[in-house]
Amino acid sequence: KQEVTQIPAALSVPEGENLVLNCSFTDSAIYNLQWFRQDPGKGLTSLLLIQSSQREQTSGRLNASLDKSSGRSTLYIAASQPGDSATYLCAVGTNDMRFGAGTRLTVKP
Amino acid sequence: EAEVAQSPRYKITEKSQAVAFWCDPISGHATLYWYRQILGQGPELLVQFQDESVVDDSQLPKDRFSAERLKGVDSTLKIQPAELGDSAMYLCASSRADYTEAFFGQGTRLTVV
């Protein structure tokens, strides 16, 4: 059974810092990995999707990498802003889509 | 911009009552997921449809939960009877096919009292 772990569980940084969120998974036989953002009480917003054949994807200030063999993905956020404050979730696609518990990010002005 | 529609946004129900949630996926999306998310945790898959067929319902508590997607478009998730432990956010997602980008609705926040 695929297990997905996200570290750290919570992170607080001052505005302007670059930061990295981590996602690890136990079964490397995945089809894709997707990063989401969730604001309190809301649904999930898709940020980036990386197919298993890809190493990274970029969207604006976000860069996600995937190392399938080691079971790891990172989400890099450049020049963080208070509006980036949210919970970030990774989901691993195999026969279904399994989520980690998320990293709660707070960016202080 | 196309989006996944869910209703209601909020639902308060008494335990032992029946409750139903509705989801309308993005047009053309064959795969539909229902997830349950307890506060502070990641979403857990309840059921996955491919068109009108159930692909995975291994985590669905079938003694009280049921899900259908009769025409392969919109879907309904039902709980009967509701229990206090069912209080959670119920999220619906869709994707064009397996292993493609998934998009989520705003969810239904269920409170069982």
Side-chain angles (χ1 to χ4, degrees), chain A residues 1 31-32 34 36 38 40-49 51 87 89 91 93-102, chain B residues 9-10 33 35 37 40-45 48 55-56 58-59 89 91 93 98-107 109:
Chain A
K1 176 184 172 183
Y31 293 99
N32 60 37
Q34 194 166 353
F36 294 89
Q38 187 175 31
K42 300 294 179 68
L44 279 64
T45 300
S46 177
L47 298 174
L48 290 164
L49 172 73
Q51 299 291 353
T87 296
L89 295 149
T94 52
N95 291 324
D96 54 24
M97 192 167 57
R98 291 195 179 268
F99 282 83
Chain B
R9 285 294 311 279
Y10 305 94
Y33 309 85
Y35 282 87
Q37 185 178 28
Q41 300 182 16
E44 294 182 304
L45 181 68
Q48 178 180 341
V55 173
D56 184 354
S58 58
Q59 301 301 309
M89 175 77 89
L91 295 161
D98 281 349
Y99 321 130
T100 60
E101 189 174 9
F103 297 89
F104 279 76
Q106 287 299 301
R109 168 68 68 186

Side-chain angles (χ1 to χ4, degrees), chain B residues 47-66:
Chain B
V47 61
Q48 178 180 341
F49 289 92
Q50 183 69 24
D51 297 310
E52 67 275 9
S53 300
V54 172
V55 173
D56 184 354
D57 64 355
S58 58
Q59 301 301 309
L60 188 71
K62 298 182 187 64
D63 57 335
R64 298 186 300 109
F65 286 63
S66 64

